[in-house]
Every structure is written in C-alpha cells, then in structure tokens.
Amino acid sequence: MQSAKLLIHFSTFRLFSQAVLLYNDSMFKIVITKNQANQRLDRFLKKYFNNASLSLVYKLIRKDVKLNGKRAKENQVLAEGDELTLYISDETAANFQRQKKHVKVKKQFKIAYEDENILVAEKPFGLLTHGDRTEKRNHLANQVIDYLIETGEYDPRTEKTFTPAPANRLDRNTTGLVVFGKNAAALQELNRMIREKDKVRKLYLTIAVGRLEKPVRLRAKMTKDESRNMVSVLSEEEEGKVMETIARPLAYANWKGRDYTLTEVEILTGRTHQIRAHMASIGCPILGDSKYGNNTANRELKLKYQALCAYELTMPRFNQPDFEFLSGKTFRAPKPWYYSQVLDGTLK
C-alpha cells in the first residue's frame, strides 16, 4: 500500500515536472523592426505588452527575457534586427496585450505635403490636434491615422509599439499646418526639432485688432490657469515659463473707425495660447479670439472664430544623410481668407 502511494506521488511529480519543463520550453520571440528600434527595453516592452503592469515588465526582464541570447538591463537601447526571446507561452503573451481600438472618423483635413516619412496636414477650424477629456474620437490625429490605414501605410494590427503622431499642435480654433511622423525615426527627429529652440521656423498670419506700427519682439514669462484654460503674461522678473514672439505688421485696414493690422507672427517658443496672450498683452488682440480678444470688434465683424493660421514651417538644414528628407524644407498652407481682404481694403 505504501509503495502504491509512493508510485502515485512519483507519477504526480513527473507530470508536474513535465509541465514546468513544457512551460520553460515555451518561447515567444520578437525581432525588432525599424519602427521599434532606438528605445529602451523596458519602454518597448511596456508598449508591446500594453495590458501588463510596469512591475510585471521589470519582472519579465529579470527572469524571462534575453536579448540576442543574453540577459539585458532594462535601460538597454534596442537596435533594428535585435532578437528578444521571452520564456513565456504565446497564450501568456496574448494576455499581456490589449488590442488597439480604433474608431473610423470622417476626413476633414487637407494635405499640404506628403512623402514616405512625413505628412503635413492643413488643420481646419474647430478640430483638436489630438484627443483630450472632451473629445477622444474625432480629432486630427485620428483622421490622419484613418487616412494612413486606408492608403496601406499603417497597420495597427502589426505595429504594436508605434502610432503615427503629430510633432506640433495647434489650438482647436487655430487653422494651419500640423506635421506628422509616419515612422518612428521621422517622428523622433521632428519632435527633437520642434522641442529645440530656433530649429523649426514657425510663421502665422493673423489680424490684430488695433494698429501695430512697427515690428516688435516680445519676451515675457507666463503661467497657466488649468481650471480656466487661460494663461497670464508676466514680466521677465516674475516666476513662470519664458515665451518669445516676433510680430511684423504687413498691412492695415479700418472698419467702422477701428484699425486692424494684418500681422505675420513668428514664435520662438511654443507655449499654450502664446500668440493670443502675447498680442493681447500689447493691446493688439487677435480678431475673433473669445478668450483674450476684443469682444466689440468680434461682434462688429461677426467673427465666430479667431483669425489665426499657422501658414508656414521651415525645417533646418542637416548634414546627416538620414535626415536629408527634412533638410531645409518649407511647407506652406494657403493664405487664409482675411489675407486678401485686408490687402485690398474689403475687410468687413
């Protein structure tokens, strides 16, 4: 009787051992693609296994992950062609992944420029650049993604860690150019250029209420009231983020005794509501601006949205062959409706 019990226990142990060996023999492999390269191992795995906690990702790296056959640190930067071996089953890997949900939306933007690396969209009035708590579905980023899916340039089923995205943003009621990276390398370079001062030259066209007599270079500090979604312009001596703006008058108009200035604005920093707040601070608010503007002028001209258009972006020049596709390029949007009306004196 005792030997029979031992035999049962031994058989159970063998089955358990085989199960453990079978689990340990289960492997899930990932070959790093171009869009997945140049990021840390931990950040890549957190995107790839988007249903797994960060602590679980670190546990996987410590116990169940090899990079090109060797153990790797969480901060190891991945290169194209690297092979990750994860000692987990396909089923376990699938449980760590949450499928991306994408809802199709109607295309409202026009294309100012497109090649295999970037897309420059013309954002219309009233459309968010990307989603927020008030609008998670119909925004420019989703519309561009839909377009790229339709043209076959992006497949969310196979691209598990990269999504085409904008490198700059515009306020909902500002029209004009928004640049998207269609692959990871292009988006990383665009983000770097937008982030670094004086890299990308950004020009806007607007109508200022009042008469701007000469070009001005504005420099100030700013703080943002999140509850009101408004910024305050402060002196340079006060605490806050620096913002710098250049405004150049191009032409003038007069309507019902009020002066208006067609103005080209160049931003040297990229702060929230920068142009709107900065121009208002010198007594020349943007026409149609409901937050910082002149409500009387807005009513007189019956404008329901602000006259502000991001009409030109110029990229810096590069010596690196990898970024030749961006070197010195200038992208332009069509001049907004008010441009000609001020020039020919028919603003009304």
Side-chain angles (χ1 to χ4, degrees), residues 263-277:
T263 308
E264 180 185 77
V265 180
E266 181 175 357
I267 57 173
L268 304 181
T269 55
R271 306 300 182 195
T272 301
H273 300 176
Q274 176 173 325
I275 296 173
R276 298 161 62 189

Side-chain angles (χ1 to χ4, degrees), residues 7-118:
L7 183 61
I8 292 171
H9 289 162
F10 180 69
S11 299
T12 304
F13 174 76
R14 284 184 60 194
L15 286 171
F16 175 76
S17 299
Q18 287 173 359
V20 170
L21 286 171
L22 181 61
Y23 173 80
N24 286 339
D25 284 343
S26 296
M27 290 189 298
F28 185 83
K29 290 195 174 185
I30 306 170
V31 178
I32 301 302
T33 66
K34 188 174 182 179
N35 274 344
Q36 295 168 339
N38 299 316
Q39 57 182 314
R40 287 168 47 133
L41 174 61
D42 54 351
R43 292 173 184 169
F44 166 77
L45 288 176
K46 185 64 185 83
K47 294 175 189 174
Y48 197 93
F49 295 126
N50 56 6
N51 205 34
S53 65
L54 189 57
S55 60
L56 180 55
V57 166
Y58 284 129
K59 185 177 179 182
L60 283 173
I61 293 172
R62 289 196 306 271
K63 296 185 175 182
D64 296 308
V65 175
K66 285 188 177 180
L67 174 61
N68 299 325
K70 298 178 182 178
R71 295 288 182 191
K73 298 288 187 182
E74 62 271 9
N75 62 354
Q76 175 72 47
V77 177
L78 301 175
E80 183 180 2
D82 280 348
E83 184 176 271
L84 284 177
T85 303
L86 292 87
Y87 292 90
I88 59 176
S89 66
D90 290 348
E91 183 180 1
T92 302
N95 289 335
F96 290 161
Q97 293 178 319
R98 181 177 61 253
Q99 293 300 315
K100 294 180 182 179
K101 292 182 179 179
H102 184 75
V103 181
K104 188 174 177 59
V105 289
K106 181 182 177 182
K107 180 174 177 278
Q108 295 170 277
F109 68 93
K110 294 181 180 178
I111 297 174
Y113 175 86
E114 184 179 13
D115 61 26
E116 66 272 21
N117 296 293
I118 67 173

Side-chain angles (χ1 to χ4, degrees), residues 188-203:
Q188 288 167 6
E189 188 58 21
L190 287 169
N191 282 333
R192 184 186 69 78
M193 288 190 296
I194 295 290
R195 191 168 56 245
E196 292 182 14
K197 184 180 176 182
D198 297 334
K199 288 294 184 185
V200 178
R201 190 168 188 243
K202 293 165 277 190
L203 298 180

